[in-house]
Amino acid sequence: MHTKEEHRQMATEHMVGKGELVHQIAARSGLSLKDAEKALDAFTEVVPENLAQGREVRLIGFGSWSLREIAARKVKSIRTGKDVSLPAHKRVGFSVGTTLSQAAEAPKGKSKTAAKKR
């Protein structure tokens, strides 16, 4: 049996955070770390801004983000077991593109897009 700390460590070994992502973007693009971070920050600002304006954001092959209308509905509360009404709302949806989908199926560490670029 694993301790909480061991579980946390195993989870982070399989995760790429912002810092690592910035390093990888800089290495692939030739940008400085500062410029790669600025580009990533701009991306994470621009996508929500466009969604808020009702625009879909699409990166061919990678995927697309869009707002989805969620209808009002009744659900059963996990705590009380009583019916609860949820109002209609919007949710951000992501549809996976072909290239990203294929990368998920590729052998570990060998995505088709990485092979093409080398």
Side-chain angles (χ1 to χ4, degrees):
M1 187 149 245
H2 298 289
T3 65
K4 283 186 179 181
E5 182 57 35
E6 288 171 328
H7 279 288
R8 198 172 300 126
Q9 184 178 359
M10 287 189 305
T12 56
E13 288 174 2
H14 299 287
M15 183 182 71
V16 175
K18 181 181 177 183
E20 178 61 24
L21 199 54
V22 167
H23 276 84
Q24 290 179 15
I25 290 169
R28 294 254 177 115
S29 66
L31 293 171
S32 69
L33 286 175
K34 193 176 221 178
D35 287 342
E37 184 171 18
K38 283 181 186 178
L40 183 58
D41 287 343
F43 178 79
T44 59
E45 291 169 8
V46 169
V47 171
E49 287 170 5
N50 279 282
L51 291 172
Q53 294 172 7
R55 296 180 177 148
E56 179 178 332
V57 178
R58 184 180 300 171
L59 295 174
I60 303 297
F62 185 81
S64 59
W65 292 264
S66 62
L67 283 181
R68 298 180 181 167
E69 300 282 337
I70 307 299
R73 65 191 189 278
K74 292 202 183 267
V75 296
K76 197 168 284 261
S77 169
I78 296 172
R79 288 189 181 149
T80 64
K82 295 180 181 176
D83 284 344
V84 178
S85 294
L86 292 180
H89 60 281
K90 294 179 182 178
R91 177 179 294 154
V92 174
F94 181 75
S95 298
V96 180
T98 306
T99 305
L100 185 59
S101 180
Q102 289 172 348
E105 295 176 15
K108 198 171 191 177
K110 302 206 180 212
S111 74
K112 292 181 181 182
T113 55
K116 286 180 186 176
K117 291 182 180 180
R118 290 183 182 169

